[in-house]
């Protein structure tokens, strides 16, 4: 059952309104449309593989780039992961190195193959970009003020968390892509208030993205307070995929209205 944590005029959402900002989605993807999934350590798991299987029902052109520890600014700063990765090319070729396999490599090799690609070189044109990012942003965002009218120089050599979030959303839009942001799930290493603020920050910095609230999908199940069990990741992927499917099937022009004072622009299910 789909809950309505915020004002929703339709479950067939094709654009997001935050204050005076409005962005319309492109047409429903066809078999040749490209979908790019960018994610962090959550994606170095069955979570990504289950999303791939579901997304390939919409198009065979699905690419995944997952970097353990990653945040949006990594795709500008070209940061290397030190704890695991997944690269899945359009057409199916995969390079999957979970934590225990990645750590077997020497430091030089890890830095070489674990380097995060340049965002502007991997973004599709007129496609869909799905982001599962946010868990690694909570600590930094908890210390920051939520901006009313954010603007950052995206050409700077190194970007902060806030700038990276803003510039990633901006680049996605400038390339004609729809943006779907799957926010951080329930965790126990951070307070509920800190995670909630992260959602508010993402909404402020990425107003062109539809935000799916992962906290409504499932309760935390794991051992380190941040990562999930295999069963948990599969449940999370299935719930997110259901809402992604609604977005991908939505018609151009369907809209959802969001008050800018609200926490996020999201919809989801009650956590079970």
């Amino acid at each position: 059952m789909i809950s309505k944590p915020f004002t929703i005029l339709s479950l067939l959402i094709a654009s997001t309104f935050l204050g005076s900002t409005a962005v319309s989605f492109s047409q429903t993807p066809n078999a040749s449309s490209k979908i790019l999934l960018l994610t962090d350590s959550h994606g170095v798991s069955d979570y990504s593989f289950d999303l791939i299987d579901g997304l390939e029902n919409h198009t065979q052109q699905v690419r995944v780039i997952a970097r353990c520890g990653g945040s949006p600014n990594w795709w500008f700063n070209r940061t290397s992961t030190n704890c695991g990765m997944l690269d899945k090319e359009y057409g199916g070729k995969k390079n999957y190195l979970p934590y225990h396999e990645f750590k077997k490599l020497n430091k030089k090799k890890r830095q070489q193959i674990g380097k995060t690609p340049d965002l502007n070189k991997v973004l599709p044109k007129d496609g869909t970009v799905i982001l599962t990012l946010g868990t690694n942003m909570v600590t930094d965002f908890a210390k920051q003020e939520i901006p009313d009218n954010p603007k950052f120089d995206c050409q700077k050599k190194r970007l902060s968390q806030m700038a990276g979030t803003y510039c990633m959303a901006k680049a996605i839009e400038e390339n004609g892509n729809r943006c779907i942001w799957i926010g951080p799930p329930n965790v126990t290493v951070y307070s509920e208030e800190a995670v909630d603020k992260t959602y508010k920050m993402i909404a402020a910095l990425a107003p062109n993205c539809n935000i799916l609230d992962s906290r409504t999908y499932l309760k935390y199940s794991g051992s380190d307070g941040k990562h999930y069990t295999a069963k948990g990741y599969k449940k999370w992927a299935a719930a997110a995929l259901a809402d992604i499917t609604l977005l991908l099937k939505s018609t151009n022009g369907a809209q959802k209205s969001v008050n800018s004072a609200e926490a996020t622009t999201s919809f989801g299910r009650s956590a079970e």
Side-chain angles (χ1 to χ4, degrees), residues 15-246:
S15 65
T16 299
F17 280 70
L18 267 172
S20 60
T21 303
V23 179
S24 295
F25 282 167
S26 57
Q27 297 292 336
T28 303
N30 55 42
S32 62
S33 298
K34 289 184 176 180
I35 297 177
L36 173 66
L37 170 63
L38 304 179
T39 179
D40 50 27
S41 59
H42 293 305
V44 189
S45 70
D46 286 339
Y47 174 81
S48 282
F49 293 114
D50 284 9
L51 282 182
I52 291 167
D53 289 344
L55 294 172
E56 286 183 344
N57 289 325
H58 299 278
T59 173
Q60 290 299 303
Q61 297 295 308
V62 177
R63 184 177 184 182
V64 179
I65 305 172
R67 292 293 184 272
C68 174
S71 291
N73 60 343
W74 280 34
W75 272 266
F76 296 92
N77 299 341
R78 307 295 312 281
T79 308
S80 292
T81 181
N82 193 40
C83 50
M85 58 175 284
L86 167 64
D87 285 339
K88 187 267 183 190
E89 299 287 344
Y90 297 118
K93 184 180 178 181
K94 300 182 185 73
N95 184 17
Y96 177 48
L97 289 169
Y99 178 84
H100 62 281
E101 294 292 334
F102 193 80
K103 284 296 187 178
K104 293 178 181 178
L105 305 175
N106 62 51
K107 183 177 180 180
K108 184 177 180 179
K109 186 69 172 178
R110 291 199 303 267
Q111 290 178 337
Q112 178 186 356
I113 68 170
K115 194 171 188 178
T116 307
D118 183 336
L119 179 68
N120 291 307
K121 292 183 179 180
V122 299
L123 282 177
K125 299 283 187 180
D126 302 318
T128 299
V129 179
I130 301 172
L131 310 171
T132 298
L133 297 167
T135 301
N136 299 313
M137 298 149 63
V138 175
T139 300
D140 184 68
F141 280 0
K143 305 172 186 175
Q144 309 292 337
E145 293 295 325
I146 299 171
D148 292 326
N149 185 28
K151 287 185 179 179
F152 294 92
D153 180 3
C154 300
Q155 302 304 315
K156 289 184 68 174
K157 189 172 182 180
R158 293 194 64 81
L159 299 185
S160 66
Q161 291 275 24
M162 289 180 67
T165 303
Y166 170 88
C167 294
M168 175 172 276
K170 184 172 183 285
I172 289 170
E173 182 182 7
E174 289 176 344
N175 281 273
N177 296 296
R178 69 177 75 190
C179 174
I180 302 172
W181 198 310
I182 305 171
N186 288 307
V187 294
T188 59
V189 291
Y190 306 124
S191 69
E192 292 182 8
E193 292 77 13
V195 175
D196 190 59
K197 187 174 181 182
T198 298
Y199 271 88
K200 293 178 182 179
M201 290 287 281
I202 294 171
L205 295 165
N208 56 301
C209 298
N210 273 94
I211 302 172
L212 305 188
D213 192 339
S214 296
R215 297 170 298 179
T216 67
Y217 293 145
L218 74 168
K219 295 179 180 178
Y220 178 72
S221 61
S223 59
D224 65 356
K226 182 183 290 189
H227 300 95
Y228 278 69
T229 62
K231 184 178 179 180
Y233 275 128
K234 293 180 77 69
K235 186 174 182 179
W236 182 16
L241 189 61
D243 283 346
I244 291 169
T245 298
L246 288 177

